[in-house]
Amino acid sequence: MGKPILIAEDSAVTRAFLVSTLEDMEDFEIIEASTGFEALKQLPRRKFSLIITDINMPDINGLELINFVKNNINYRDIPLIVVTTEGSERDRKKGLALGADEYLVKPIDPEALQEVVMRYLGNSKE
Amino acid sequence: MVGDIPIDEFLGEAEDIVDSLNRDLLAINEAVSKKKKFDPALINNIFRAAHSLKGISGLFGFTELTGLAHTLESLLDRLRLGKVELTDDLLDLLFESADMLRAIVAGKGKGQEAPNARDVDELIERLESGEPRPKETRQDDVMSCVGLDILAVLTEYEEHRLHENIKDGMHIIKIRAAFDLATFDEGLTELQALAKQQGEIITTLPSAEESSEDKITFDLIIGTERPLEVVKESLSGRSLTFTLLREGSRAAASQEEGPAPAREEEGKEENEPGAEEAAAEPKEAPPREAGDAGASLRTISQTVRVDIGKLDNLMNIVGELVIAKNIMTQLIERLRAEMGFTELSIELVKNTRTMERKLSELQSGVLEVRMVPVGQIFDKLHRNVRKLSRELEKEIEFVAEGGDTELDKLIIEDLADPLMHIIRNALDHGIEVKAERIQLGKPAKGLIRLRAFQRGNHVVIEIYDDGAGINYDRIKRKAVEMGFFSASAEPRADELIECLFAPGFSTASKVSEISGRGVGLDVVKQNISALSGAIDVESRQGEGAKFTITLPITLAIIQALIVEAGGQTFAIPLNSVQQGLMIQPREIQTIEGREVIELRGKTLPLLRLDKLFGLTPGGNGGKGSGRKTEAAAGEDTGKDVPADARENGEAEKEGEGREIYVVKVGIADRGLGIIVDRLWGRQDIVIKSVGEVLKGIKGIAGATELGNQRTILVLDVMDLMEEAAVSMFSANK
């Protein structure tokens, strides 16, 4: 089984897109969460190599998830990519200030995503 | 298809998004029209809908959809942040945008036309011209209230809501709660529902510092009219920590004006003073408290979206199982006949019964999954009525009842257009203009009432309007003109209404000439017939009209009566069979070249299948041939055939009389007697479509397989009644 990646995104279509883009790269173990709550529940279950999150989710927003991850000693080293539709500039700045490692704007170019993922997973631990 | 994502996935999600967007718009509209304050979360939901739609359409490269969703999103963003005021015009524009989004999404599906690109651009332009209201500075109050740490994780919208709450003089309270990590969502959802009764939940923050391996801590920030003490007491009995972040200015008024349900709560828990620290574990969830927040979360996590094709496939498998079971029942019968009642055969019968029961449970289970509430289309219709009534400048009260009545998904899909057609007619031509209504002593506001309910195996949908009703004189003139009646004939009201649905009746007439009724009603009827349904109208001139649509609950598996005529076996859907009759040949009368019988004082037209399909007449000479034995093998246990029909069948097999068997079929109030040679019994059948060869033939709904692996034709009762009606008209000519 490949490196575990957590995807937090409420749109099933976008999740499917992310999954298929990642699967084209290598055999990751991809865990999908359709809400922020689900993502929080998944966090302690595995040692994730990467987290990809949306900002606009129905229960807790992506900023809160970033804050939670980046302030938790167990998770703060996990690279975190924010994937969102071009949102308010303020939200974007906040996301980066909270410690998000990358910020990708939808519609996402699969190659750009793959490149970013490669960059972080190549560096993480080998 | 993008990557591995089929377009159907997109269509499904996009439709859901547009549907929820519409529902929220309607809710806002409802509140605004009653001059009530609406839940600000509704605007945020709509914003999220536009946002999500933009996201997924971007993936598929649907630029016009992305463009419109984007413009809509920016406008809604300004709206939710309070930079734009929600006016009536803006609400109209939002409804229009929702319609356009739906049309574009539909255009991505098969066989649907996409809207004109120019119309889309024009709409985008109008959306962009929504003037922003000057922005207020508000960072300070928000920051002094929650501090930098919390401010850092609030989205711009949450910041805005916090600001609004502060401005409105609300108390801002932080509620901290710890949960087991594995099950926190249940407890949190419950807490959110309770907190919602206190006021507005501005945000729910998972707290990193306070959480450990197996515990997670959340901070809920709420804005409320109630003072800290009251909130504390309402939520007592749980291990929560409360912090007053900002004292509101509304303290005095609040205690008196708390919402009723929450007050009840306070009273109830009064006898647990200081329970705040006492209970380490949260108390059992009071189920009646499950508020909006809980409900919506539940739907997200506990439903799955399934392609209807997969359900069809399941249904086919169940159908084949039903056939296999039928074969088995026959084998058992044979075994019994050959071997008598041995222990083995009795065991076999017992077990087959169990299987039969489970099979029928499985069958109804699969059917149930296909069912969706008709309320789905009621929402769409409501929107259209709103739009049309503004266009026509008529004030309309739209009432929809029975939205939770369930119908097969496929039927619902095909129902929206016919319903809209009828409603449009009612709005356009049925309901009079205001001045005329007042003059007639009617309420100034026109009424359109939609009602759905279940009756046996059918769902009935009524569309009532209190407009001018049907002008029978005009229909008669038209019908005479078209040669349906002679000028001297005095057709009854129901015969005239029959004309309304006759093909071509409306196209030849000017819309306004028949008080608007009849515009494309033949098409409406065709659509309803294609769903094995029936449509009727009742109307008193001047007092409005009521259309009644009767539909089967599902089309997938039906019960049918197996009959034989002209040497062929046919299946007649049992939901349209009213009665089995045995008549003497002399009872048949010929009126105007047409065979009829008198039944309880009413004339019942007869139809001979052998004649209609050009078969050899079956009644004579069929007996004793190999064909009969073959057909007999197809006989079911026949337990539910109406008693008289069954006796007739038995009698005929004895070769006694020369009676004729008539199956009386009918939907709603119309009837037809089908003359058959034999009745074989009742059976569950799965209708399959017939190939191109038989497609054009009237009176055939499809084919099905019988237990003995023979394929027989399924009669289309609506079609047959149509045939009968047509020949009646030509006879009258």
Side-chain angles (χ1 to χ4, degrees):
Chain A
M1 199 47 98
K3 292 173 183 162
I5 298 182
L6 176 64
I7 297 179
E9 159 71 64
D10 60 333
S11 155
V13 169
T14 309
R15 277 203 312 276
F17 164 78
L18 293 171
V19 169
S20 76
T21 308
L22 293 171
E23 276 174 349
D24 284 348
M25 298 175 65
E26 55 173 277
D27 186 22
F28 293 119
E29 184 193 2
I30 298 170
I31 310 295
E32 300 178 43
S34 63
T35 64
F37 284 177
E38 251 178 79
L40 288 176
K41 274 185 150 182
Q42 289 295 341
L43 273 176
R45 297 201 184 149
R46 278 176 189 68
K47 205 153 174 47
F48 285 102
S49 305
L50 180 72
I51 298 170
I52 299 180
T53 181
D54 188 14
I55 288 292
N56 278 281
M57 286 185 289
D59 41 20
I60 61 163
N61 71 48
L63 294 177
E64 290 160 358
L65 183 66
I66 301 170
N67 187 48
F68 183 80
V69 167
K70 291 298 173 186
N71 279 304
N72 191 306
I73 193 146
N74 296 314
Y75 314 126
R76 68 171 165 226
D77 294 330
I78 307 174
L80 192 147
I81 304 176
V82 179
V83 163
T84 185
T85 24
E86 166 201 353
S88 108
E89 188 53 23
R90 207 134 108 228
D91 287 352
R92 180 183 135 93
K93 277 190 194 143
K94 277 186 173 182
L96 291 173
L98 288 169
D101 297 277
E102 282 291 333
Y103 211 98
L104 293 178
V105 171
K106 296 180 196 170
I108 289 156
D109 172 26
E111 280 172 20
L113 175 67
Q114 289 174 347
E115 193 227 286
V116 171
V117 170
M118 191 99 78
R119 198 158 71 225
Y120 285 98
L121 290 192
N123 293 345
S124 64
K125 57 188 88 151
E126 205 60 49
Chain B
M1 175 160 152
V2 168
D4 294 329
I5 317 164
I7 178 92
D8 285 354
E9 287 266 321
F10 165 80
L11 289 174
E13 189 165 317
E15 261 175 35
D16 282 358
I17 293 173
V18 179
D19 280 349
S20 79
L21 192 155
N22 265 310
R23 260 196 308 278
D24 293 334
L25 272 180
L26 282 174
I28 293 175
N29 181 51
E30 177 105 16
V32 168
S33 68
K34 286 181 182 154
K35 308 247 186 302
K36 280 201 302 211
K37 235 185 153 175
F38 57 85
D39 185 353
L42 287 172
I43 295 278
N44 195 39
N45 286 349
I46 299 178
F47 164 78
R48 284 179 37 79
H51 179 81
S52 310
L53 200 57
K54 175 173 117 180
I56 63 171
S57 57
L59 270 183
F60 280 77
F62 296 148
T63 45
E64 80 278 47
L65 192 55
T66 318
L68 178 55
H70 172 72
T71 318
L72 192 60
E73 182 198 358
S74 339
L75 175 62
L76 287 164
D77 193 27
R78 277 178 284 155
L79 190 63
R80 74 185 185 133
L81 296 175
K83 296 178 191 168
V84 175
E85 198 115 38
L86 183 66
T87 58
D88 245 13
D89 285 344
L90 183 54
L91 199 54
D92 275 350
L93 194 56
L94 292 178
F95 271 110
E96 203 179 319
S97 308
D99 285 343
M100 185 62 90
L101 287 174
R102 184 184 299 282
I104 303 176
V105 169
K108 303 298 174 199
K110 276 168 244 137
Q112 298 263 17
E113 208 172 311
N116 192 327
R118 240 195 347 218
D119 293 344
V120 180
D121 287 343
E122 190 252 349
L123 181 61
I124 290 179
E125 237 168 71
R126 277 191 291 147
L127 285 171
E128 278 169 346
S129 65
E131 276 298 301
R133 213 165 61 176
K135 198 177 159 182
E136 304 158 49
T137 44
R138 55 165 189 256
Q139 280 263 294
D140 292 356
D141 59 352
V142 171
M143 193 161 84
S144 69
C145 175
V146 294
L148 255 182
D149 283 353
I150 289 180
L151 188 61
V153 294
L154 296 185
T155 58
E156 200 174 346
Y157 171 65
E158 287 165 341
E159 258 182 54
H160 168 69
R161 291 311 312 162
L162 180 58
H163 171 73
E164 287 291 300
N165 272 284
I166 293 172
K167 207 176 73 186
D168 289 349
M170 298 290 172
H171 302 284
I172 309 297
I173 296 172
K174 182 170 88 176
I175 306 172
R176 173 163 289 188
F179 301 96
D180 274 343
L181 188 54
T183 55
F184 75 84
D185 44 354
E186 288 166 28
L188 183 57
T189 305
E190 183 205 331
L191 179 62
Q192 284 176 325
L194 290 175
K196 214 170 169 191
Q197 294 179 348
Q198 307 298 321
E200 179 180 351
I201 302 177
I202 295 160
T203 186
T204 304
L205 303 160
S207 161
E209 304 91 63
E210 299 289 325
S211 301
S212 62
E213 286 283 301
D214 53 350
K215 289 266 177 201
I216 185 161
T217 302
F218 283 91
D219 289 335
L220 262 65
I221 309 246
I222 67 169
T224 172
E225 294 186 331
R226 305 163 156 218
L228 180 63
E229 289 313 310
V230 176
V231 174
K232 253 189 192 173
E233 202 166 304
S234 309
L235 296 171
S236 67
R238 296 172 172 76
S239 56
L240 305 169
T241 323
F242 297 84
T243 314
L244 182 63
L245 296 177
R246 188 190 174 95
E247 173 95 47
S249 52
R250 280 218 188 179
S254 65
Q255 254 154 330
E256 261 70 55
E257 288 173 10
R263 280 256 283 267
E264 188 185 297
E265 168 87 354
E266 288 163 30
K268 206 185 70 185
E269 304 215 344
E270 239 164 41
N271 42 8
E272 293 179 352
E276 196 192 323
E277 285 97 343
E281 289 296 309
K283 281 262 168 99
E284 82 278 23
R288 68 188 173 86
E289 307 285 8
D292 293 347
S296 66
L297 268 176
R298 267 180 208 244
T299 19
I300 289 168
S301 56
Q302 299 201 338
T303 56
V304 280
R305 190 169 23 229
V306 185
D307 184 344
I308 190 96
K310 285 185 186 163
L311 291 182
D312 280 343
N313 190 26
L314 271 184
M315 206 57 180
N316 277 333
I317 296 172
V318 172
E320 274 151 30
L321 276 177
V322 169
I323 292 167
K325 182 216 74 186
N326 289 342
I327 297 177
M328 206 127 115
T329 317
Q330 285 162 28
L331 289 177
I332 291 170
E333 286 298 314
R334 252 174 67 192
L335 196 72
R336 265 216 212 157
E338 282 169 23
M339 303 180 54
F341 286 91
T342 62
E343 204 178 312
L344 187 66
S345 72
I346 292 170
E347 265 315 286
L348 201 55
V349 169
K350 242 168 71 189
N351 280 294
T352 317
R353 291 261 157 81
T354 315
M355 190 185 79
E356 226 175 286
R357 265 201 312 276
K358 290 294 152 195
L359 189 58
S360 83
E361 277 172 33
L362 176 64
Q363 189 179 320
S364 47
V366 175
L367 274 179
E368 209 181 291
V369 175
R370 302 171 59 97
M371 296 294 170
V372 289
V374 286
Q376 282 187 356
I377 41 174
F378 284 6
D379 285 351
K380 290 184 200 170
L381 294 171
H382 190 171
R383 240 170 355 97
N384 275 314
V385 166
R386 183 182 185 277
K387 206 170 94 184
L388 262 177
S389 60
R390 287 181 82 96
E391 269 171 33
L392 295 166
E393 294 177 355
K394 288 180 184 174
E395 271 183 67
I396 301 293
E397 187 182 349
F398 181 84
V399 183
E401 295 165 13
D404 52 357
T405 313
E406 293 192 320
L407 261 175
D408 192 299
K409 169 88 176 157
L410 287 180
I411 299 183
I412 295 249
E413 303 257 289
D414 290 338
L415 199 58
D417 283 351
L419 282 181
M420 196 53 226
H421 209 122
I422 295 172
I423 290 179
R424 192 174 302 145
N425 270 352
L427 258 170
D428 198 1
H429 310 290
I431 289 180
E432 310 88 342
V433 292
K434 200 169 173 181
E436 196 181 334
R437 289 182 66 89
I438 292 170
Q439 205 175 13
L440 288 166
K442 291 183 175 183
K445 240 184 181 182
L447 173 71
I448 289 186
R449 194 178 62 223
L450 216 56
R451 198 160 82 95
F453 55 93
Q454 192 172 341
R455 184 188 283 157
N457 275 327
H458 286 93
V459 164
V460 180
I461 299 177
E462 293 173 351
I463 308 104
Y464 168 79
D465 74 77
D466 69 347
I470 290 173
N471 187 330
Y472 290 102
D473 293 341
R474 282 197 185 139
I475 298 179
K476 191 189 162 191
R477 235 177 291 146
K478 192 81 224 163
V480 169
E481 208 175 285
M482 290 185 73
F484 288 157
F485 303 105
S486 64
S488 58
E490 294 212 5
R492 294 189 312 270
D494 59 319
E495 286 171 328
L496 286 170
I497 282 176
E498 192 79 36
C499 294
L500 276 180
F501 293 106
F505 187 81
S506 57
T507 43
S509 62
K510 288 272 184 315
V511 170
S512 53
E513 275 187 6
I514 31 169
S515 160
R517 305 281 172 211
V519 186
L521 276 181
D522 57 328
V523 179
V524 169
K525 186 178 175 170
Q526 265 171 32
N527 291 342
I528 300 290
S529 301
L531 300 171
S532 297
I535 179 163
D536 264 314
V537 200
E538 279 169 58
S539 171
R540 296 257 293 271
Q541 209 161 318
E543 291 177 20
K546 186 169 84 179
F547 282 76
T548 307
I549 296 175
T550 312
L551 292 159
I553 288 179
T554 182
L555 297 175
I557 287 196
I558 59 165
Q559 293 191 321
L561 186 65
I562 311 297
V563 302
E564 191 183 317
Q568 291 283 328
T569 312
F570 297 96
I572 306 176
L574 202 64
N575 56 19
S576 50
V577 173
Q578 294 178 332
Q579 205 180 352
L581 304 165
M582 178 182 71
I583 59 166
Q584 297 294 329
R586 64 184 143 76
E587 289 180 53
I588 301 182
Q589 308 162 29
T590 310
I591 298 176
E592 292 176 358
R594 202 182 148 68
E595 289 184 315
V596 298
I597 53 167
E598 196 78 14
L599 187 67
R600 288 187 208 111
K602 275 189 161 178
T603 311
L604 181 73
L606 296 179
L607 184 82
R608 287 181 189 270
L609 288 177
D610 46 9
K611 230 185 200 168
L612 182 69
F613 295 126
L615 306 166
T616 43
N620 41 22
K623 249 170 264 173
S625 67
R627 174 175 46 78
K628 188 193 166 187
T629 15
E630 190 199 341
E635 188 180 6
D636 192 32
T637 45
K639 46 188 182 277
D640 290 303
V641 175
D644 51 347
R646 207 168 132 65
E647 275 161 27
N648 300 344
E650 301 292 345
E652 208 280 336
K653 263 186 258 170
E654 302 302 314
E656 285 172 15
R658 290 175 159 271
E659 296 93 346
I660 295 169
Y661 310 106
V662 175
V663 179
K664 183 179 177 238
V665 295
I667 289 182
D669 282 339
R670 275 164 292 157
L672 174 72
I674 300 176
I675 298 181
V676 300
D677 302 336
R678 251 170 226 98
L679 298 170
W680 289 126
R682 188 180 86 156
Q683 197 164 323
D684 282 345
I685 59 164
V686 181
I687 302 190
K688 312 240 160 130
S689 69
V690 286
E692 290 297 319
V693 191
L694 289 175
K695 216 167 193 173
I697 299 185
K698 275 237 160 204
I700 308 249
T704 189
E705 217 178 308
L706 284 188
N708 48 7
Q709 284 155 356
R710 278 190 326 146
T711 302
I712 63 166
L713 294 174
V714 183
L715 298 180
D716 184 333
V717 171
M718 282 310 297
D719 248 17
L720 292 177
M721 297 204 322
E722 198 108 329
E723 283 294 300
V726 168
S727 44
M728 191 162 75
F729 279 131
S730 49
N732 279 347
K733 251 191 215 183

